[in-house]
Amino acid sequence: MRVHFLTFAFVLLITPGAHAQVPAMTPNQALGREILAELIGINTTREHGSTTPAAEAVARRLVAAGFPAADVQVVGPTEKDKNLVARLRGTGKRRPILLLAHLDVVEALRSDWSMDPFTLTEQNGYFYGRGTSDIKDMAAIFVATLIRLKREGVALDRDLILALESGEETDGGGIRWLLAERRDLIDAEYCINGDAGDPLLQNGRPVVRSVQASEKVYHDVQLEVHNPGGHSSLPVPDNAIYRLAAALQRLAAFHFPPSLNPVTRAYFERVAETQPPDIAADMRALLRDVPDSAAVERLSQRSPLFNSILRTTCVATRLDAGHANNALPQTARAVVNCRMLPQDPVERVEAMLRSVVADTAVAVIPIDTPTPSPPSPITPEVFGPLERITHQLWPGVPIIPSMETGATDGLFLRNAGMPVYGVSAVFMEADDIRAHGRDERIGVREYYAGLEFTYRFVKALVTR
Ligand SMILES: [Zn+2]
């Protein structure tokens, strides 16, 4: 996934820290680079590749590093779509934690790119290649972290599980298969997902680390009108297209009521500290026991992102009606795509849609069954080390818990009762997000800093 979703500028009210200083390549960095190069070199697209060779390459590396073969599994729904699941054992004093990234990538054509997308190319301070930012960088960093912890003989008080999944870019098949068939391999107290949460640079300077602790819930609904129709030379007042259009007009004018959950509450508290005084005041006003409704409306109008964080949204995305140019329409349909706040039950959202449509001739029909995805608690066990280690490497950079307005694989784990924290380690320029596009890249310096960050952060989570 990895789509940049912070569509507004952060105004820096803090003194930015300098870039983490990265000296000449250390052995750990050399290892991190080697693993990244190996993963980029394996085509893991659904169209022309397979995740299985990439999972096997990682398995070989871990076994060579001393992991027992039984703790390194290559398993999955099909021969082409295998996942890698590995376990670094601890004392078992606490429940395991799960590190998650995906091995599959979106198609990339050599003819579209300036270089071979399936060869890691280092050029002018960047690593280029399909998957460098989505999300083989984090897959490689997690593998290097496991090997480093093993090599250093760090005493873990809990097992550390790594899952590198298949199918994330298509159907979520890898993680769904693991949950259904091999929950034993990945069962953990919580998950750190490398494929969510955006640490962002502006003009080369780190400005924010957002941590995805919640996501909205996807739901499609169809509005449908039927009518006897007839010859278009003899129009009658009751017309399927007009009825549907009128219902859509009412929907266009409607806003779901604003609602906060613990994650979005923390989000606005923290973001307020980075904003100009008027926006900050509005954010604080919406955090009051009785939210200031004028402030809510100003923020909603200021940014589609704020609006989407504050409420469930349902928007018309497709329209289909009529069967001939010279006939009155017998059917008119619209697809309405809802992104529901995790605290808004689907029954309530559908009931509100029906009351907004306000016409029993317009049927409101669910197209899919949404997967609930409860927000993950903002626990000090995760956020304590996260803040401390972020500030060691990037002093002054704010850590902002966030609710993703799209949807990620995290929802399957959240729905299965496992909290998920999206913590990507590699800072990226806010205006240079190339995931799924041509000449995908990450900064070399940012990659090595992310490698060191992840090692320190994960180590803090598995030791006491
Ligand atoms: Zn991704």
Side-chain angles (χ1 to χ4, degrees):
M1 154 86 189
R2 188 113 195 221
V3 176
H4 164 55
F5 65 98
L6 293 162
T7 52
F8 61 100
F10 278 88
V11 179
L12 260 198
L13 302 176
I14 49 153
T15 314
H19 269 302
Q21 290 302 309
V22 182
M25 207 160 36
T26 66
N28 287 315
Q29 290 171 348
L31 176 66
R33 188 190 198 286
E34 195 183 299
I35 300 170
L36 180 63
E38 182 171 36
L39 291 180
I40 297 293
I42 301 171
N43 185 330
T44 54
T45 63
R46 178 59 60 87
E47 294 82 358
H48 298 107
S50 161
T51 57
T52 305
E56 285 166 348
V58 170
R60 275 195 298 278
R61 250 177 211 287
L62 292 173
V63 170
F67 283 70
D71 286 346
V72 180
Q73 302 270 337
V74 176
V75 290
T78 70
E79 277 307 306
K80 253 181 111 238
D81 296 300
K82 297 241 170 125
N83 309 286
L84 176 284
V85 186
R87 182 177 294 254
L88 180 58
R89 297 206 176 255
T91 61
K93 201 167 137 209
R94 290 189 289 166
R95 289 185 64 208
I97 64 170
L98 171 66
L99 306 178
L100 179 70
H102 59 89
L103 287 172
D104 61 317
V105 293
V106 168
E107 180 63 293
L109 300 178
R110 176 67 187 90
S111 52
D112 293 338
W113 280 52
S114 310
M115 68 285 289
D116 177 9
F118 297 103
T119 301
L120 185 73
T121 304
E122 184 175 344
Q123 213 174 75
N124 302 327
Y126 290 96
F127 283 134
Y128 289 85
R130 172 56 89 225
T132 47
S133 79
D134 186 13
I135 190 75
K136 285 180 169 172
D137 54 342
M138 288 307 298
I141 282 174
F142 284 151
V143 174
T145 298
L146 256 71
I147 291 174
R148 186 171 169 190
L149 289 169
K150 171 95 183 161
R151 189 183 286 159
E152 292 178 354
V154 173
L156 286 62
D157 66 2
R158 65 196 334 174
D159 289 2
L160 179 60
I161 305 168
L162 170 64
L164 301 178
E165 40 158 352
S166 63
E168 194 274 346
E169 298 289 3
T170 47
D171 51 14
I175 195 71
R176 287 194 290 126
W177 185 89
L178 285 169
L179 274 169
E181 307 295 330
R182 295 304 308 270
R183 175 87 186 242
D184 60 304
L185 285 180
I186 59 164
D187 206 33
E189 187 171 329
Y190 57 86
C191 167
I192 301 296
N193 183 3
D195 192 27
D198 289 300
L200 292 180
L201 307 168
Q202 269 169 13
N203 304 315
R205 294 184 141 177
V207 287
V208 65
R209 164 186 283 298
S210 80
V211 179
Q212 192 233 51
S214 180
E215 57 190 289
K216 291 184 92 172
V217 176
Y218 185 106
H219 185 37
D220 284 328
V221 172
Q222 185 150 287
L223 305 191
E224 195 170 296
V225 184
H226 293 284
N227 186 284
H231 202 286
S232 62
S233 64
L234 297 170
V236 293
D238 186 17
N239 176 299
I241 290 177
Y242 294 159
R243 280 197 105 125
L244 179 64
L248 291 174
Q249 278 298 328
R250 290 190 285 275
L251 177 62
F254 174 72
H255 299 286
F256 281 83
S259 166
L260 294 172
N261 62 45
V263 173
T264 54
R265 188 165 274 283
Y267 171 85
F268 283 113
E269 276 166 15
R270 299 285 180 91
V271 172
E273 289 165 22
T274 72
Q275 297 296 301
D278 56 330
I279 302 179
D282 278 349
M283 288 180 174
R284 290 182 182 119
L286 82 87
L287 292 168
R288 288 185 200 134
D289 288 343
V290 179
D292 176 339
S293 53
V296 169
E297 286 328 301
R298 276 194 299 274
L299 287 171
S300 299
Q301 280 167 27
R302 189 178 284 277
S303 142
L305 176 65
F306 293 158
N307 179 59
S308 182
I309 291 173
L310 282 166
R311 52 169 52 92
T312 289
T313 63
C314 291
V315 63
T317 52
R318 304 187 73 167
L319 203 52
D320 175 30
H323 57 283
N325 288 359
N326 57 359
L328 297 173
Q330 288 180 259
T331 308
R333 288 191 196 95
V335 172
V336 171
N337 177 237
C338 296
R339 304 296 180 130
M340 303 184 295
L341 292 175
Q343 67 269 30
D344 282 357
V346 61
E347 301 75 25
R348 209 176 82 192
V349 170
E350 288 177 2
M352 288 181 99
L353 274 178
R354 287 193 178 91
S355 77
V356 171
V357 163
D359 181 350
T360 49
V362 181
V364 177
I365 307 160
I367 297 177
D368 58 19
T369 307
T371 305
S373 180
S376 303
I378 299 177
T379 145
E381 186 193 318
V382 174
F383 281 80
L386 186 58
E387 300 216 11
R388 179 165 50 81
I389 293 157
T390 297
H391 290 155
Q392 283 171 7
L393 291 169
W394 302 282
V397 170
I399 284 104
I400 300 186
S402 69
M403 177 182 70
E404 186 138 356
T405 55
T408 71
D409 264 11
L411 87 100
F412 299 115
L413 294 169
R414 289 191 174 105
N415 183 52
M418 195 189 298
V420 180
Y421 303 98
V423 184
S424 182
V426 180
F427 276 81
M428 291 201 296
E429 196 65 43
D431 301 327
D432 187 43
I433 306 295
R434 302 185 181 192
H436 299 200
R438 75 189 289 272
D439 297 352
E440 183 180 348
R441 68 182 186 180
I442 48 170
V444 172
R445 184 170 56 175
E446 282 71 27
Y447 178 71
Y448 291 141
L451 183 68
E452 180 62 22
F453 165 81
T454 303
Y455 164 77
R456 293 189 200 180
F457 175 51
V458 171
K459 187 175 170 182
L461 297 178
V462 295
T463 57
R464 261 224 181 119

